[in-house]
Amino acid sequence: MKLFIIGLDSAPPELLFHEFIDDLPNLKRLLSGSIMGPMKSCIPAITIPAWMCMATGKTPGELGLYGFRHRKKNSYRDIWIAHSLMVRERAVWDYLAEKGLKSFLLGIPPSYPPRKVNGWMVGCFITPDSSVNYTYPSSLKSEIEKVVGEYIFDVVFRKENRGEVRDRIWEMTEKRFEVVRHMIETKDWDLFWFVEIGLDRIHHAFWKYFDENHHLYEPNSSYKNVIRNYYRLLDREIGRTLKLLDEETAVMVVSDHGVKRMKGAFAVNQWLIQEGMLKASYENGRIVRFEQLEVDWKNTTAWAWGGYYARIFLNVRGRESRGVVSSSEYDMVRDEVAEAVKSIRGPDGEKWETRVYYPEEIYPVTNGDKPDMMVYFDNLYWRAAGTLGWESNYLLENDTGPDDAVHSEYGVFALHTPEMKGSRIVECSIYDVAPTILSLFGLSAEGLRGRSLIV
């Protein structure tokens, strides 16, 4: 048995399985002989930690990964950015290695710096640039560059020049698939798993030209078919790639989360100031990052980080250097902040479907630098803006650059094995992927959160 995994960052079931499927003949053929279904992502439904939840069968709490950045030891200012060396749980390729099976791993976040594996590893989108060593073994780097020249890890997608973004994403994806095909043919792998980040970038950069329900929709734009054409590009590249696999190779298609239109961004720290929970001043019309504020910590209860979801921290006595919330008050204060957050309404007074999660209630353990609460504003339709100085708490656009889309909770799962006939819908979660991969190789592991989807 060999397994080839196609990772499409942010592929939603609504587009891949339905709206675009008739434009995707290769994927349509593959899905017609697969078990498949929407796949519920982890909380938070973002790239890091989601891919590692998928690969390890562990929660963000067990991984100690709650997003791209984390506080250092409850500091107000110091942070660390997620990287591969912070992943200490075993991934499926570690279990396979114990049986002598080899893996080729390309672009699975976070995979920089590259780690030693029984096989090969190529860094993901967090790799700084191609001047660093981004492969294991290091000799693999020169082999990649002989195939495609300078390798592209990611693109700057939050910029006004959308034409440049589009062209760069096309180039990145075509190069990635060239590398994938070269490695399929030249390496003796048992598991081949790659992730294409371009789909996520296309969604974020071009959603308002595609979705008529987007509040910034631009009809008749020259970019209106960019998303659909990118799916066609993916399908062509996947079709060329699948031709290189033998009939005994199973194929899996997965995404870490889905995507949907962004309704706007909510300036959460401005709101916390207005509610008296954060003591700091800002000047309307002068946009500043939270880190630039002079905060009166002795009178501050809570502050937040922005992103697709908000992380809210309490200022806890004995934990933060100038904390004010005592341990005996912690639960009460946190509940009060959470209730206030859930009562926030939209710019026109409309009720929001805001969700607040306490890490210790949704994870079996909470390692590392966890937030006190995680917030999905209006079920993720509204981003959290960490910046201040806006005339309104409700922003039409993302505060960190043009971005038309937000994440949704459901990505995709599909699995075709040589003996499968016809398709079957399955209900699944991101935690089912690792047990399913192991079971395909006749392996199992203790303590994984999901179940094998192979019956």
Side-chain angles (χ1 to χ4, degrees), residues 375-386:
V375 180
Y376 285 7
F377 283 116
D378 197 19
N379 192 19
L380 290 171
Y381 272 113
W382 285 77
R383 276 184 64 98

Side-chain angles (χ1 to χ4, degrees), residues 108-126:
I108 306 172
S111 53
Y112 180 81
R115 300 177 64 167
K116 181 179 180 180
V117 294
N118 188 32
W120 307 263
M121 178 177 281
V122 180
C124 70
F125 73 101
I126 65 170

Side-chain angles (χ1 to χ4, degrees), residues 35-149:
I35 60 172
M36 54 183 280
M39 183 170 72
K40 190 170 186 178
S41 186
C42 59
I43 301 170
I46 59 176
T47 297
I48 294 174
W51 286 107
M52 276 303 119
C53 291
M54 194 186 301
T56 64
K58 299 291 185 177
T59 66
E62 291 163 297
L63 293 167
L65 291 175
Y66 305 95
F68 287 88
R69 58 177 174 155
H70 300 77
R71 299 170 70 196
K72 276 186 179 177
K73 299 179 179 177
N74 299 313
S75 166
Y76 295 118
R77 307 287 186 190
D78 293 339
I79 65 167
W80 57 273
I81 301 296
H83 55 81
S84 66
L85 302 182
M86 295 305 291
V87 180
R88 299 188 176 95
E89 296 286 345
R90 300 164 76 200
V92 289
W93 47 83
D94 296 316
Y95 295 100
L96 268 58
E98 291 176 353
K99 301 295 181 183
L101 302 175
K102 293 184 177 179
S103 300
F104 198 105
L105 311 165
L106 191 154
I108 306 172
S111 53
Y112 180 81
R115 300 177 64 167
K116 181 179 180 180
V117 294
N118 188 32
W120 307 263
M121 178 177 281
V122 180
C124 70
F125 73 101
I126 65 170
T127 304
D129 57 52
S130 59
S131 68
V132 301
N133 175 41
Y134 58 84
T135 65
Y136 176 84
S138 57
S139 58
L140 185 64
K141 175 181 175 181
S142 61
E143 185 177 344
I144 289 173
E145 292 172 0
K146 284 178 183 175
V147 175
V148 295

Side-chain angles (χ1 to χ4, degrees), residues 160-212:
E160 294 297 341
N161 189 336
R162 299 293 213 280
E164 191 174 301
V165 174
R166 176 198 56 202
D167 295 346
R168 189 68 169 161
I169 292 173
W170 246 254
E171 180 185 6
M172 174 178 69
T173 299
E174 289 171 343
K175 283 190 171 186
R176 186 114 58 226
F177 274 91
E178 281 299 313
V179 171
V180 167
R181 286 190 285 269
H182 172 81
M183 299 305 171
I184 286 173
E185 294 192 295
T186 60
K187 304 295 182 286
D188 59 337
W189 51 273
D190 298 285
L191 167 68
F192 197 118
W193 188 343
F194 80 100
V195 172
E196 176 51 60
I197 195 71
L199 185 60
D200 181 81
R201 296 349 189 182
I202 281 286
H203 288 151
H204 286 299
F206 294 95
W207 199 268
K208 73 177 180 183
Y209 308 106
F210 153 76
D211 185 350
E212 295 181 7

Side-chain angles (χ1 to χ4, degrees), residues 299-312:
N299 289 294
T300 287
T301 302
W303 78 101
W305 280 359
Y308 292 112
Y309 80 106
R311 276 178 271 188
I312 295 182

Side-chain angles (χ1 to χ4, degrees), residues 122-314:
V122 180
C124 70
F125 73 101
I126 65 170
T127 304
D129 57 52
S130 59
S131 68
V132 301
N133 175 41
Y134 58 84
T135 65
Y136 176 84
S138 57
S139 58
L140 185 64
K141 175 181 175 181
S142 61
E143 185 177 344
I144 289 173
E145 292 172 0
K146 284 178 183 175
V147 175
V148 295
E150 183 179 1
Y151 186 70
I152 304 174
F153 302 94
D154 197 4
V155 301
V156 178
F157 65 96
R158 290 189 177 120
K159 58 194 296 185
E160 294 297 341
N161 189 336
R162 299 293 213 280
E164 191 174 301
V165 174
R166 176 198 56 202
D167 295 346
R168 189 68 169 161
I169 292 173
W170 246 254
E171 180 185 6
M172 174 178 69
T173 299
E174 289 171 343
K175 283 190 171 186
R176 186 114 58 226
F177 274 91
E178 281 299 313
V179 171
V180 167
R181 286 190 285 269
H182 172 81
M183 299 305 171
I184 286 173
E185 294 192 295
T186 60
K187 304 295 182 286
D188 59 337
W189 51 273
D190 298 285
L191 167 68
F192 197 118
W193 188 343
F194 80 100
V195 172
E196 176 51 60
I197 195 71
L199 185 60
D200 181 81
R201 296 349 189 182
I202 281 286
H203 288 151
H204 286 299
F206 294 95
W207 199 268
K208 73 177 180 183
Y209 308 106
F210 153 76
D211 185 350
E212 295 181 7
N213 293 316
H214 197 284
H215 66 290
L216 299 176
Y217 176 60
E218 294 187 16
N220 303 316
S221 166
S222 60
Y223 299 130
K224 66 180 180 182
N225 290 321
V226 167
I227 290 181
R228 184 182 292 272
N229 288 337
Y230 183 80
Y231 275 81
R232 290 169 171 155
L233 168 70
L234 281 178
D235 187 73
R236 287 195 299 273
E237 296 289 349
I238 289 171
R240 292 177 60 195
T241 304
L242 293 181
K243 288 179 180 176
L244 303 179
L245 305 179
D246 63 41
E247 294 182 352
E248 298 305 310
T249 300
V251 180
M252 184 180 288
V253 180
V254 284
S255 64
D256 52 339
H257 54 76
V259 67
K260 58 188 178 184
R261 74 184 190 278
M262 187 182 79
K263 292 183 177 178
F266 182 72
V268 59
N269 279 316
Q270 281 192 188
W271 176 82
L272 285 167
I273 289 174
Q274 293 160 9
E275 294 295 313
M277 292 183 257
L278 169 58
K279 292 296 183 183
S281 60
Y282 62 90
E283 181 181 340
N284 276 348
R286 180 173 174 269
I287 309 304
V288 297
R289 293 181 289 110
F290 174 76
E291 292 76 14
Q292 296 172 296
L293 282 186
E294 286 294 328
V295 178
D296 175 7
W297 290 110
K298 289 293 186 183
N299 289 294
T300 287
T301 302
W303 78 101
W305 280 359
Y308 292 112
Y309 80 106
R311 276 178 271 188
I312 295 182
F313 305 95
L314 299 191

